[in-house]
């Protein structure tokens, strides 16, 4: 998971521009869910990203305006029991 995130054939978000935060998932799932930090929040700074081409930045900021906080898009994933599966799910949603 240290590689960048390929969004298109020409644009890859470098791993350094992605921020992940882990926390405990809520809801049913047994003892493992109660002690493991399996929920993932993946954040990407659309407004401040040096890798995002300017033509895409304006369009992305316009289309995602309702989901951004200070230009940052955050995606949460907690549907899987495993942290790795939630990390992959969050990255797929970001793409």
């Amino acid at each position: 998971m240290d590689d960048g995130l390929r969004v298109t054939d020409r644009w890859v978000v470098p791993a350094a521009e992605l921020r992940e935060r882990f926390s405990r998932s809520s809801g049913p799932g047994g003892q493992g869910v109660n002690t493991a930090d399996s929920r993932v929040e993946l954040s990407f700074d659309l407004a401040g990203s040096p890798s995002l081409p300017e033509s895409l930045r304006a369009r992305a900021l316009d289309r995602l305006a309702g989901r951004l906080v200070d230009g940052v898009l955050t995606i949460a994933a907690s549907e899987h029991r495993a942290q790795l599966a939630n990390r992959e799910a969050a990255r797929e949603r970001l793409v």
Side-chain angles (χ1 to χ4, degrees), residues 48-66:
S49 171
S51 69
L52 184 61
E54 195 57 45
S55 59
L56 291 178
R57 181 186 329 276
R59 190 168 56 179
L61 290 171
D62 183 51
R63 287 187 178 181
L64 298 170

Side-chain angles (χ1 to χ4, degrees), residues 12-59:
V12 176
V13 177
E17 291 186 34
L18 299 172
R19 300 283 178 251
E20 290 178 317
R21 197 179 102 182
F22 306 101
S23 59
R24 291 190 178 140
S25 291
S26 62
Q31 295 173 344
V33 171
N34 294 331
T35 59
D37 289 344
S38 59
R39 181 176 187 267
V40 177
E41 287 184 9
L42 179 65
S43 298
F44 174 60
D45 185 359
L46 279 170
S49 171
S51 69
L52 184 61
E54 195 57 45
S55 59
L56 291 178
R57 181 186 329 276
R59 190 168 56 179

Side-chain angles (χ1 to χ4, degrees), residues 62-78:
D62 183 51
R63 287 187 178 181
L64 298 170
R67 297 191 64 186
L68 300 175
V69 175
D70 295 328
V72 176
L73 177 65
T74 301
I75 297 169
S78 61

